[in-house]
Amino acid sequence: MRDDPLLSPYQLRHLTLRNRIMSTAHEPAYSEGGMPKDRYRLYHVEKAKGGIALTMTAGSAVVSPDSPQAFGNLHAYDDEIVGWLRRLADDCHEHGAAVMIQITHLGRRTGWNKGDWLPVLAPSPVREPAHRAFPKEAELWDIDRIVSDYADAAERMQAAGLDGIELEAYGHLMDGFWSPATNRREDEYGGTLDNRLRFTHRVLDAIRARVGPDFLVGVRMVADEDWDKGLTRAEGVEIARRIVASARVDFLNLIRGHIETDAALADVIPIQGMRSAPHLDFAGEVRAAVKFPVFHAARIPDVATARHAIAAGKLDMVGMTRAHLADPHIARKVAAGAEHRIRPCVGATYCLDRIYEGGEALCIHNAATGREAAMPHEIARAATPRRVVVVGAGPAGLEAARVAGERGHHVTLIEAAAQAGGQIRLAAMNPRRAELIGIVDWRMEELERLGVETRFNTFGEADEIMAENPDVVILATGGLPNTGCVESGEDLVTSSWDILSGEAKPGSDVLVYDDNGGHPGMSAAEMIARAGATVEVISPERFFAPEMGGLNHVPYARVFAEKGVRVTINTRIRGVAREGNKLRVTMGSDYAETTGTRLVDQVVVEHGTLPDPELYEALKPHSVNGGAVDYAALIAGRAQAVVTNPEGRFRLIRIGDAVASRNIHAAIYDGLRYVKDL
Ligand SMILES: Cc1cc2nc3c(=O)[nH]c(=O)nc-3n(C[C@H](O)[C@H](O)[C@H](O)COP(=O)(O)O)c2cc1C
Ligand code: SF4
């Protein structure tokens, strides 16, 4: 792999980057009080260990208190940050990675009711729908104040020993001045391009005056808003040229599109089922036009595309941001000729959706990411090999078998179906979500490498399991659709699984009752609508699909809009009864006993799953722990040691949906955390 363009070093002025792979700015919401403490540091250090050349820390670290956190952003305006960042930078440097940070003033892209409750501001008082704040128009004293806040923040980053900074200029205050969509000013900050760039030049001048010529400064900028009322490509490229001509910056990091709404954001940061690398050619064209170092990221999840981006001269540094959430050791694996062992980013965008919902970024199928202090990315071998039987090859069972295999145990994986995957295989039946199968395929390849014995088409019976003389039995048998939320007529309804699996043909006039709020109900509705049916989705919630984040919502909402799917909220299904060859659905709500009826030919219900307790109950009396779990030990990362039956022959552990209906991440986290200490 010596001639791999992706692994060739890159010289950015005085800084030698060891290869072309970087992680672009992204706030994982691991901050504590606006500070990048241990969790934050360990997350970045893992990527440094994994061979990354450059990690752009933070995402939108805020330079002023009137730019309050939108999703756990770091407080670049607070001197306390210097010590925390110095430690992070030192540790990453020790592992050979360069470290920079993205700083910004969020402008109108945040909430007004947060932090110090200062008024949110923007070049003009135009509301941003995604964050709902009504901004005030920035006054001249605001502009002076924020210019010096940028310079102060840059100085802090230099003091922390970082290799450089990047200014965020898409959807935030800086580019708010550039865009006709958000700048309606008639003073010296509005109108001509010179005026619209005045704030940017003032910030760059102030930063350079403070940090000197050698500290690396870049701009992550939109060079085409791809929006009828926004910045055109011609103007965007001209802005790039002028920023380069200012001789104040060292690199550009290019964005195409705008982020005013979730739908627009999904075009800038595409999710699964959407185009791969949609803006790569654009970035390459701008690079050719400005002849300047260019970075770029937008759904370049795999090494082949990243390599192409470098080899074809489209980029100088290629961003693989979500790819590193899925596997922080990409460069190391490429260098070791183990590209095929990279845990794939399947574009689920569970990571990003979580931060907009107030959570922290977690990868759908790497439960160690963001939990580096407690969860290993590399599993250590156990001192004593044991016999482990895992029942069920859905996400929980596959992960448990993988981790047990890495521990060096003798592992047997039993699965009733002909293929692995469980509910992932079902979810991947929606062609738009087919990439999810990567979660299964990657694990199956790892199991083969680890020598795990797999038995498909085998229903796990207690006798057969005990005949294996296991030390540990892990039950990962999942659940079955629970349609019991319908008070009467449950036997007349179809489950979302029947639709997803293709076992039930979509009707022509279908009511989908989603009393779960996540993917299964929405995906069933999508598939039915695509099959040409008239569909109404009914939810008892005050908004629909509340378990789903904003970016995952976009493709569903697009299909619903295109196919005319009707959505009704605040409504419960009370009962379903046969009426001729149709079904009469009686509806009510938490606010009124009855709210009407519908006459349809199919009722599809999604209400999560229920485990089948039979095997668990049969094994319990033979186990040492009767299925009991020591949660304190689990949380503290100690091995399970509960003994309720000293005569028992094995430890019995139940994981994933075999315990209760949850999601893929929960199943995989169970698989990792119960087994890593076995
Ligand atoms: C959790 C998360 C938070 C993000 N926050 C920011 C941010 O604050 N600033 C920014 O410029 N980009 C942010 N991004 C976008 C990424 O930098 C990157 O452009 C995007 O993920 C597309 O690249 P990828 O396909 O390699 O992941 C964020 C991405 C994720 C996943
Ligand atoms: S959650 Fe999905 S998109 Fe995000 S890193 Fe993991 S696999 Fe990639």
Side-chain angles (χ1 to χ4, degrees), residues 24-28 59-60 71 102 168 170 220 269 297-300 319-323 325 351-352 355 361:
T24 56
H26 59 291
E27 177 47 64
S60 319
F71 38 74
Q102 181 185 72
E168 207 279 12
Y170 67 105
R220 188 171 207 198
I269 307 180
R299 194 154 144 79
I300 302 175
M320 299 184 75
T321 305
R322 283 169 290 178
L325 278 143
C351 48
L352 184 51
I355 67 166

Side-chain angles (χ1 to χ4, degrees), residues 51-66:
I52 202 166
L54 167 62
T55 185
M56 185 70 70
T57 61
S60 319
V62 290
V63 299
S64 311
D66 67 338

Side-chain angles (χ1 to χ4, degrees), residues 322 325-326 345-351 363-364:
R322 283 169 290 178
L325 278 143
C345 171
V346 297
T349 312
Y350 183 64
C351 48
C363 173
I364 195 168

Side-chain angles (χ1 to χ4, degrees), residues 220-514:
R220 188 171 207 198
M221 60 166 289
V222 56
D224 173 7
E225 283 194 310
D226 190 23
W227 193 14
D228 51 0
K229 60 181 179 179
L231 204 64
T232 62
R233 177 181 174 141
E235 269 195 325
V237 175
E238 179 56 24
I239 290 173
R241 276 207 188 92
R242 290 190 192 192
I243 287 176
V244 168
S246 77
R248 298 276 185 269
V249 304
D250 303 297
F251 64 89
L252 300 178
N253 186 348
L254 294 173
I255 295 286
R256 181 161 185 268
H258 71 95
I259 58 175
E260 184 164 274
T261 58
D262 287 341
L265 182 64
D267 292 335
V268 175
I269 307 180
I271 73 166
Q272 61 185 192
M274 297 180 178
R275 261 180 71 201
S276 183
H279 309 308
L280 177 58
D281 289 342
F282 169 78
E285 285 155 20
V286 178
R287 179 176 182 267
V290 296
K291 299 182 176 52
F292 202 65
V294 160
F295 305 173
H296 171 68
R299 194 154 144 79
I300 302 175
D302 60 298
V303 170
T305 311
R307 184 174 290 128
H308 162 73
I310 300 298
K314 292 179 191 290
L315 306 180
D316 296 287
M317 292 294 294
V318 57
M320 299 184 75
T321 305
R322 283 169 290 178
H324 277 86
L325 278 143
D327 190 336
H329 296 182
I330 293 175
R332 185 177 64 73
K333 287 180 181 169
V334 173
E339 221 167 288
H340 58 284
R341 287 207 49 219
I342 293 171
R343 188 186 312 223
C345 171
V346 297
T349 312
Y350 183 64
C351 48
L352 184 51
D353 268 349
R354 278 182 57 88
I355 67 166
Y356 284 110
E357 305 296 314
E360 78 282 51
L362 295 171
C363 173
I364 195 168
H365 80 123
N366 187 345
T369 294
R371 297 194 181 99
E372 281 76 11
M375 295 294 137
H377 284 276
E378 302 275 86
I379 311 289
R381 282 183 93 74
T384 321
R386 307 168 84 186
R387 293 187 72 81
V388 179
V389 173
V390 180
V391 190
L398 284 172
E399 178 70 350
R402 179 188 79 84
V403 177
E406 291 276 16
R407 298 279 291 150
H409 298 314
H410 181 279
V411 189
T412 306
L413 174 64
I414 300 172
E415 165 60 47
Q419 285 178 300
Q423 287 185 61
I424 294 183
R425 193 161 288 281
L426 207 58
M429 296 293 280
N430 179 340
R432 195 177 54 70
R433 306 191 73 217
E435 278 168 77
L436 285 173
I437 211 67
I439 298 174
V440 178
D441 291 347
W442 178 74
R443 284 180 175 73
M444 287 304 289
E445 280 164 32
E446 289 289 286
L447 295 191
E448 197 175 330
R449 181 181 63 80
L450 294 165
V452 168
E453 186 198 342
T454 50
R455 289 184 207 157
F456 290 98
N457 298 308
T458 308
F459 199 82
E461 305 281 0
D463 289 350
E464 187 198 348
I465 291 165
M466 288 193 286
E468 297 290 324
N469 274 328
D471 299 302
V472 181
V473 175
I474 297 173
L475 274 199
T477 42
L480 290 169
N482 173 11
T483 49
C485 56
V486 179
E487 286 165 25
S488 65
E490 189 188 343
D491 55 319
L492 299 174
V493 308
T494 304
S495 76
S496 57
W497 283 32
D498 291 337
I499 296 292
L500 293 172
S501 66
E503 217 143 276
K505 224 175 128 258
S508 55
D509 194 357
V510 185
L511 187 157
V512 177
Y513 181 50
D514 183 16

